[in-house]
Amino acid sequence: MSRSKWKGPYVNSTLWQQLGLKNKEFNTFSRNSCIVPQFVNFNIKVHNGKSFINLLITKDMIGHKLGEFVPTRKKFSFKKKKK
């Protein structure tokens, strides 16, 4: 279920503080924060549960959540058997 329109998009308060410092690169644990136009051209390192993944924000990402672009699980493939 989406957030109410009158509330606006959810952005963690620490992200707003980092944006005010004009750092072009910072870390965050907030995967549920929405990407707003002020984040464009910023490098945000998002935590995937194990490490921080570097994410460059573009105009196409506006309106999505930070966690959508950082997978939390490894890709699985079967190992080939040697004969």
Side-chain angles (χ1 to χ4, degrees):
M1 184 170 230
S2 63
R3 188 170 161 92
S4 298
K5 289 189 187 236
W6 64 271
K7 289 184 183 179
Y10 173 75
V11 180
N12 196 341
S13 60
T14 57
L15 288 176
W16 284 120
Q17 292 171 356
Q18 293 290 335
L19 190 66
L21 297 175
K22 297 296 181 189
N23 292 342
K24 284 290 187 181
E25 196 171 296
F26 49 89
N27 296 350
T28 184
F29 288 96
S30 177
R31 297 171 51 86
N32 60 344
S33 293
C34 194
I35 297 173
V36 292
Q38 290 87 350
F39 291 161
V40 174
N41 295 329
F42 275 79
N43 277 332
I44 300 178
K45 293 183 179 177
V46 183
H47 198 257
N48 70 351
K50 184 177 180 181
S51 62
F52 288 96
I53 306 297
N54 201 5
L55 181 65
L56 177 65
I57 306 298
T58 60
K59 285 185 356 184
D60 298 331
M61 296 179 180
I62 294 174
H64 292 272
K65 306 278 184 177
L66 287 172
E68 292 182 40
F69 303 102
V70 180
T72 57
R73 299 179 182 187
K74 283 184 180 177
K75 182 134 177 128
F76 177 77
S77 62
F78 286 101
K79 307 290 186 222
K80 292 228 176 191
K81 293 183 178 180
K82 293 184 179 179
K83 290 188 177 184

